[in-house]
Amino acid sequence: MALATKNRDYWSDAVGACRNAAVEFAQLSTPFQGQLIAVYPAHDLTFDTFPQHRSAAPRYRPQSPKMTWGSSPMFGADDRAASPPPRCTCSIARTIAVDSCHLLVSGLTNKWENGEMDERHRRLNLRAGATMLAALSGLTFNATAQAQEAQPRQVEAAPSPRQVTPLMDGWRFHFGETPEAALQQDFDDSAWTSVSLPHSWNRMGNYAPERAEGSDVRQGSGWYRLNLPDIKPPEGKRVIIQFDGVGAIADLWVNGTHVGTHKGAFSRFRFDISDYLKSGQTNLLVVRADNSKPGPGSTTEHVIPLGGDFFVHGGLYRGVSLLTVDSAGFDLMDHGGPGVYVSTPSITAEAAKVAVLTRLRNTGRKPRRLSLTTHIADADGRIVATSMQPVALEASQAREITTALALPKPRLWQGRSDPYLYKVTAELRDGKRIIDRVTEPFGVRSFTIDAGRGFVLNGQPLRLHGASRHQDRQGKGWALTPEDHAEDMAIMAEMGVNTVRHAHYQHAQEWSDLADRTGMVVKAELPFVHQSAFDDGLSAPELLANARQQLTELIRQNYNHPSIMLWSVGNEIDIGAAIAALQRGGKGEPAKSRDMLINLDALAKAEDPSRPTVYVDCCEAVPSPLARPGAQILNDVTQVIGLNRYFGWYYGQPSDLTAALVDLRAKYPGRAMGLTEYGAGGAFTQHTDNPLGGTVHANGRPHPEEVQSWVHEETWKVVGSSNLLAGTWLWNMFDFASTSREEGEAYDLNDKGLVSYDRKTRKDAYYFYKAQWSQEPVLYLTGRRYVDRAYPVVDVRAYSNASSASLTVNGRAVGTVACPQRICVWPGVKLAAGENELSAQAEREGAQLTDTLRWTAPDAAAGLNIRAGHLTGITTSDGLRFGSDNFFSGGRASGLRLAGRTRLAPSNVTGTPDPELYGSYRAGEFSYSLPLPDGLWTVTLHMFEPEIDAAKASARAMTVQANGKQVLTGFNPASAAGGSLKAVTRSFPVQARGGQVMLTFSGGEGGAVVSAISVQPKR
């Protein structure tokens, strides 16, 4: 904030301005006329300090009031050593807290306390302050109304001195090779497509086994042209073009001249195009957006991300606008930031210290003498703190100024319960003319995150539970509207989320504004994901430079969002090398990403020491082939550890997560941990009768919706009450595009979202978390998309935050059950043949809850057909429908091998017209308790020998019992079928009693195997 003070005229001007301000103040404040007013300089300046100014600082004795100069004891040796400029900070005693100097009115205190001042003059603190601000042009004024005595004033903002022109319409677009002539005004672009922004040429992701017609997964260069009218700025003005997001490299030409390049798909950036515009003619903008697939030698070789499980969409997918601004103002070239940065270094119940850093730039050819006014307004628009100070900007100079304000009795930003926002407005004036203004919302909050207490907001522990979010949606890609962002936030808020993870990059400002207003705690991320190189070597210097650029942009553009509390500087940065090694049969060195991560972590801490850094790890000590021997340790770099753990989906069981967390806590005792990803895929059209009935093909098909729900239920049992985690973020809130995926029912989609890609349908697991987290009463019957049931006896499930719930089927009362862990289960409910109406009822906090669905069921008298070892059913060539594996106890589900990352190998069992019926099996020792009407039945077992090894195949000796009676003894499937991988069946009669038939299977060392069980009425 240093100003040149060795100019005698400037000193005289400062003294004169203070004199005039005091006179104006006295004239406004009639009760004080005739009183002695003393204005003290801001620092302890004696005339011995600056002897050259001694004669320039005379005593001024205006007729009314009198004014003297003296020295102030408020600043210590450090301030004197800084050789500060003359400043005048004015205050009314007892009403305005003062940082620098005092405007003292003798007798003021007595008059106030003796009641000699009326209410109008009690409010003079801010009214007089406003007069001072007008009078003190070129001086510092710093006043804050104290809580008990100040009456905040409401000020209506003047029109913005910036002229903002959105450039959303009138663009012409072409993808692919484009002649150089397209950069010129006379190029004929009539064959190009007319588009409006936001725009991306990419569209992908559909709920079908093949890529949908109309999908567009092209990567390369898309070209945009726009003609602008005559917009040559007037003298002293500049024209800045602002891009809110371009995927992934942007090049700009104006009237055929290249202006600049920006590399990075997610951040805002600006170019000054003033000198490229031509007056008296139409001006041509040409933009090339390049989202070429990263690889050695590609244009995106040194632009993060180099890879990842999401698609980088090309295009001008966020807004573009022109800003016409004064040549001096808040720095628009500060990495796309606002130029005004707000922090709260100290917060108490009585006051918050607010620090406002402003970055200013004078692009003009002449020095400017300006004044900077900074004020804080509450949510009702009332000014509650204000400051003014002189600003000298030399030609082509950029500088920083920090203003300290005191905010009395601050109302805190309390997350979802009370996301209260203030606004800081900074105005730059040339005399009385406002030449630039920036307004930034901010929240007053303190927070910590540590291994002991977890996440603490404003002194109170807050358990973070939420979800990650990608920014694309079906039919639009990344080209989202404000309404799209608002819908996403509303869906998440309804579920009860209190934290959002930005996966895996900077999200739109509209989204982060919503997070501020909704009260979400946000983990913001740098797109340093997947890998740091294309080989086993270190990251390229150019890649590191780009990552540093994008990290700086991320932090500066989002610094003022109170919702953002964590900077994530990397996500699974070693997984790309691990996947590549697997594809090479385990050959290849582990990734060398640690040095780059350390560098970025240090940069984040330097840019913003107030927020902790996070690294998100995929693989340390997990039972996965991606946990490579010799891999670099990365979890000791950042202040917080994020863990992506998929127990129950890619490996292990959900319950295994407990031991994994305990081990990591022991290894990293001083670091807070969060579970940053967990979950499972879920299809809308694939269903199972029992999520434990088959092998999960996580990278293939099927992905039954019920399995997704089970993984979330079981994982939440571990993490919901764990004291080892500061927060949890499920993966993912919405299905999102990924061209590496052919899974579940979808193509080009990661289906781990709890809500469909188009946001129209919510999966069952969404309501599980709504019952856990929402304050709203919840009752939801699951399985509503599994309408055509395979079995006439089912377990009915509901999610509810009521303590109990009741069920009726076709008007018949089934019973009332408790809902432990907010899951209500009615086991073994019998359905009628045909359509059934199921209705659940519950009561919570006086609210009566009801949910109803309809299922169709087969006739119980027709028997049962079970596909053993598989999560979904099948219909055979003769039209017989088999349901998924169910009614079993024990054994293990097995299936034939995968043919690749996403596809199942076809069954190679012979001797049957239905080889897929034999593509899975249950093995070991197990039993089936089959719900059947009393009577005589014929049971048919479908079997084969899966072992190719002849010795193992010949050793199998199965024993099967029906209701305790042996029906097969020493049965060898290979011998009976004439070899391994050949189908064989055996049938036997059985009597159902008490609505049940019990089948038990054993087989010695090899165990029993069965691929399907068919039970038909005995004829």
Side-chain angles (χ1 to χ4, degrees):
M1 298 172 64
L3 295 174
T5 60
K6 296 183 179 181
N7 184 299
R8 176 172 179 150
D9 293 336
Y10 185 64
W11 177 274
S12 299
D13 290 345
V15 173
C18 269
R19 174 199 62 196
N20 295 335
V23 171
E24 275 199 62
F25 178 80
Q27 291 172 347
L28 175 70
S29 311
T30 54
F32 311 137
Q33 287 187 3
Q35 304 294 336
L36 175 65
I37 297 179
V39 180
Y40 293 96
H43 295 264
D44 189 6
L45 301 180
T46 68
F47 297 135
D48 292 332
T49 306
F50 295 110
Q52 67 270 34
H53 298 316
R54 183 175 299 156
S55 61
R59 287 178 175 268
Y60 287 88
R61 296 185 179 276
Q63 292 183 356
S64 178
K66 296 181 179 180
M67 181 176 181
T68 62
W69 280 98
S71 71
S72 165
M74 299 187 64
F75 283 76
D78 291 340
D79 301 291
R80 290 194 295 272
S83 298
R87 297 185 303 165
C88 177
T89 299
C90 304
S91 157
I92 303 174
R94 292 179 55 85
T95 305
I96 297 179
V98 180
D99 288 349
S100 309
C101 70
H102 297 284
L103 173 63
L104 297 176
V105 181
S106 64
L108 171 62
T109 301
N110 290 335
K111 285 178 178 291
W112 210 318
E113 292 179 348
N114 294 337
E116 297 177 30
M117 258 193 277
D118 59 25
E119 183 63 24
R120 182 175 73 89
H121 293 103
R122 284 175 60 89
R123 294 195 297 270
L124 279 173
N125 51 333
L126 289 177
R127 291 174 55 195
T131 301
M132 285 294 202
L133 292 178
L136 285 176
S137 102
L139 300 174
T140 298
F141 176 83
N142 190 343
T144 303
Q146 292 186 0
Q148 293 181 349
E149 296 168 307
Q151 300 292 325
R153 61 190 175 92
Q154 194 161 5
V155 176
E156 184 175 339
S160 173
R162 294 183 177 182
Q163 179 182 339
V164 180
T165 306
L167 303 179
M168 306 300 282
D169 300 310
W171 293 86
R172 308 289 291 182
F173 169 74
H174 172 73
F175 180 85
E177 293 296 324
T178 298
E180 188 173 343
L183 303 177
Q184 304 305 318
Q185 185 70 56
D186 58 358
F187 176 76
D188 181 7
D189 61 11
S190 59
W192 289 24
T193 304
S194 177
V195 299
S196 294
L197 306 187
H199 175 264
S200 172
W201 63 84
N202 295 124
R203 299 286 187 276
M204 71 208 69
N206 51 273
Y207 296 100
E210 301 295 336
R211 181 171 287 157
E213 185 178 352
S215 296
D216 189 339
V217 297
R218 292 176 297 173
Q219 292 179 272
S221 293
W223 294 81
Y224 296 84
R225 285 169 47 96
L226 178 68
N227 286 303
L228 297 176
D230 179 9
I231 55 170
K232 186 68 176 177
E235 185 70 24
K237 296 286 187 178
R238 308 296 292 178
V239 176
I240 311 295
I241 189 168
Q242 174 174 298
F243 295 87
D244 294 333
V246 179
I249 300 176
D251 282 278
L252 172 67
W253 290 262
V254 176
N255 294 323
T257 301
H258 187 257
V259 176
T261 301
H262 179 268
K263 297 182 178 182
F266 309 102
S267 48
R268 181 172 56 209
F269 59 95
R270 305 179 179 113
F271 295 117
D272 187 336
I273 62 173
S274 308
D275 298 336
Y276 301 89
L277 297 172
K278 298 178 180 179
S279 59
Q281 69 173 59
T282 298
N283 289 273
L284 174 66
L285 301 181
V286 178
V287 183
R288 178 176 61 197
D290 182 1
N291 72 333
S292 296
K293 185 176 181 179
S298 71
T299 55
T300 54
E301 177 183 10
H302 301 306
V303 180
I304 61 171
L306 297 183
D309 187 18
F310 60 96
F311 189 89
V312 175
H313 292 62
L316 306 182
Y317 73 90
R318 293 181 187 157
V320 179
S321 56
L322 285 182
L323 311 177
T324 302
V325 297
D326 194 280
S327 59
F330 300 101
D331 194 354
L332 289 167
M333 299 303 161
D334 185 26
H335 297 275
V340 176
Y341 306 92
V342 187
S343 61
T344 50
S346 174
I347 302 171
T348 68
E350 293 304 313
K353 293 182 179 179
V354 180
V356 183
L357 170 66
T358 52
R359 291 190 170 105
L360 305 173
R361 184 179 295 272
N362 178 13
T363 60
R365 300 175 183 176
K366 297 180 180 180
R368 305 284 291 272
R369 294 294 180 263
L370 309 170
S371 61
L372 172 65
T373 303
T374 308
H375 69 250
I376 300 174
D378 64 16
D380 295 322
R382 296 175 298 179
I383 304 300
V384 293
T386 191
S387 168
M388 182 178 179
Q389 54 198 293
V391 175
L393 284 174
E394 300 303 320
S396 302
Q397 182 191 16
R399 61 173 298 192
E400 294 182 354
I401 295 176
T402 299
T403 302
L405 295 167
L407 179 61
K409 293 194 179 301
R411 182 170 169 180
L412 301 182
W413 190 92
Q414 294 282 20
R416 292 294 309 278
S417 64
D418 185 15
Y420 190 85
L421 294 174
Y422 292 90
K423 288 182 179 179
V424 162
T425 297
E427 289 181 341
L428 203 58
R429 294 173 181 259
D430 190 341
K432 295 183 179 181
R433 181 172 62 93
I434 300 174
I435 63 172
D436 202 6
R437 179 193 298 121
V438 171
T439 296
E440 287 288 299
F442 80 101
V444 179
R445 84 283 189 270
S446 64
F447 67 94
T448 60
I449 181 167
D450 60 49
R453 299 185 70 194
F455 182 79
V456 178
L457 179 63
N458 299 322
Q460 298 299 316
L462 175 65
R463 187 59 181 269
L464 297 178
H465 51 256
S468 299
R469 181 238 190 193
H470 270 292
Q471 67 178 6
D472 57 331
R473 88 169 36 199
Q474 192 166 16
K476 293 186 173 185
W478 282 0
L480 303 186
T481 65
E483 293 76 17
D484 295 328
H485 292 299
E487 183 181 24
D488 282 6
M489 185 61 73
I491 291 171
M492 297 185 81
E494 180 189 336
M495 195 173 79
V497 163
N498 67 6
T499 181
V500 179
R501 180 188 180 206
H502 289 176
H504 288 296
Y505 39 75
Q506 181 177 171
H507 285 218
Q509 288 299 311
E510 296 95 330
W511 171 262
S512 295
D513 290 341
L514 286 166
D516 293 342
R517 298 196 296 268
T518 309
M520 299 293 182
V521 173
V522 173
K523 177 179 176 291
E525 301 203 355
L526 175 73
F528 180 31
V529 301
H530 198 70
Q531 64 199 86
S532 58
F534 295 108
D535 54 23
D536 299 335
L538 295 171
S539 57
E542 299 92 337
L543 185 76
L544 175 59
N546 178 259
R548 289 177 63 87
Q549 166 214 311
Q550 292 198 48
L551 179 57
T552 304
E553 291 170 339
L554 171 71
I555 293 175
R556 295 198 186 179
Q557 292 175 27
N558 294 279
Y559 187 90
N560 294 329
H561 289 293
S563 58
I564 294 178
M565 301 192 195
L566 295 162
W567 298 124
S568 181
V569 294
N571 176 81
E572 297 183 351
I573 59 177
D574 53 355
I575 198 172
I579 293 172
L582 285 178
Q583 294 170 342
R584 296 192 296 262
K587 299 178 181 179
E589 295 295 318
K592 297 179 177 64
S593 305
R594 181 178 171 86
D595 289 352
M596 185 169 172
L597 182 66
I598 291 172
N599 188 294
L600 295 171
D601 179 68
L603 175 61
K605 291 172 181 173
E607 279 285 320
D608 182 9
S610 71
R611 293 175 170 101
T613 58
V614 188
Y615 170 67
V616 176
D617 168 73
C618 69
C619 303
E620 183 178 349
V622 299
S624 164
L626 297 179
R628 303 211 61 217
Q632 290 183 325
I633 296 299
L634 302 174
N635 284 327
D636 63 350
V637 174
T638 56
Q639 295 154 286
V640 179
I641 300 172
L643 301 171
N644 295 348
R645 295 297 185 266
Y646 286 93
F647 289 96
W649 186 243
Y650 290 126
Y651 43 76
Q653 296 296 319
S655 58
D656 298 337
L657 179 58
T658 299
L661 294 176
V662 170
D663 290 346
L664 286 169
R665 165 59 67 238
K667 187 172 182 179
Y668 304 103
R671 282 178 166 81
M673 298 191 305
L675 188 63
T676 41
E677 288 183 25
Y678 67 97
F684 293 101
T685 60
Q686 295 169 346
H687 298 284
T688 186
D689 301 282
N690 189 326
L692 302 179
T695 302
V696 171
H697 298 296
N699 292 315
R701 314 183 192 276
H703 287 177
E705 183 178 10
E706 293 77 11
V707 172
Q708 181 188 55
S709 297
W710 177 82
V711 169
H712 280 286
E713 290 173 15
E714 295 300 309
T715 304
W716 188 249
K717 289 178 183 178
V718 174
V719 305
S721 58
S722 174
N723 60 4
L724 302 176
L725 296 171
T728 58
W729 292 266
L730 63 87
W731 187 263
N732 195 284
M733 194 67 226
F734 307 100
D735 290 346
F736 62 92
S738 174
T739 51
S740 66
R741 300 275 177 171
E742 300 173 31
E743 300 174 359
E745 66 190 338
Y747 201 98
D748 290 337
L749 276 183
N750 187 315
D751 65 351
K752 294 186 185 72
L754 303 191
V755 180
S756 62
Y757 193 26
D758 63 3
R759 280 47 170 185
K760 295 185 184 301
T761 309
R762 301 167 193 201
K763 303 177 187 180
D764 285 351
Y766 175 94
Y767 293 95
F768 170 72
Y769 286 108
K770 185 175 180 179
Q772 300 292 333
W773 300 340
S774 174
Q775 298 302 310
E776 299 177 14
V778 176
L779 176 63
Y780 174 84
L781 285 165
T782 69
R784 62 192 56 231
R785 279 167 288 279
Y786 185 10
V787 175
D788 187 12
R789 292 276 159 167
Y791 301 120
V793 178
V794 298
D795 291 348
V796 179
R797 299 168 62 82
Y799 299 136
S800 181
N801 50 17
S803 59
S804 62
S806 301
L807 179 71
T808 62
V809 176
N810 300 323
R812 172 179 56 87
V814 174
T816 299
V817 298
C819 302
Q821 298 175 319
R822 309 203 168 181
I823 304 171
C824 326
V825 181
W826 294 268
V829 176
K830 295 180 179 179
L831 303 178
E835 186 173 283
N836 294 262
E837 182 180 89
L838 290 80
S839 180
Q841 301 84 34
E843 186 266 336
R844 176 176 168 83
E845 297 178 352
Q848 300 299 316
L849 309 176
T850 300
D851 193 31
T852 301
L853 54 74
R854 285 177 170 80
W855 291 337
T856 59
D859 188 349
L864 297 172
N865 300 290
I866 301 169
R867 187 186 190 188
H870 208 284
L871 287 171
T872 58
I874 191 173
T875 300
T876 60
S877 57
D878 60 358
L880 195 61
R881 180 186 180 187
F882 285 75
S884 62
D885 203 356
N886 200 12
F887 312 119
F888 60 85
S889 176
R892 67 182 185 280
S894 298
L896 298 181
R897 68 186 182 278
L898 287 171
R901 184 173 188 270
T902 63
R903 300 181 186 275
L904 280 173
S907 171
N908 53 357
V909 174
T910 61
T912 173
D914 299 297
E916 290 305 317
L917 187 63
Y918 296 83
S920 62
Y921 54 93
R922 182 158 294 278
E925 295 193 0
F926 52 91
S927 64
Y928 280 84
S929 178
L930 306 178
L932 291 162
D934 290 352
L936 289 174
W937 300 89
T938 296
V939 175
T940 300
L941 304 180
H942 300 257
M943 298 166 287
F944 76 101
E945 176 53 61
E947 289 288 351
I948 303 299
D949 183 276
K952 292 181 179 179
S954 62
R956 193 182 307 277
M958 292 174 49
T959 296
V960 180
Q961 294 182 341
N963 293 333
K965 179 181 178 181
Q966 289 190 2
V967 291
L968 289 177
T969 302
F971 181 75
N972 182 270
S975 175
S980 297
L981 299 178
K982 293 184 178 181
V984 61
T985 61
R986 288 294 184 268
S987 299
F988 50 86
V990 68
Q991 177 79 43
R993 294 187 178 90
Q996 175 182 285
V997 167
M998 177 65 72
L999 303 179
T1000 58
F1001 296 78
S1002 60
E1005 182 178 349
V1009 292
V1010 63
S1011 286
I1013 302 171
S1014 180
V1015 185
Q1016 304 292 320
K1018 185 171 176 59
R1019 306 195 185 280

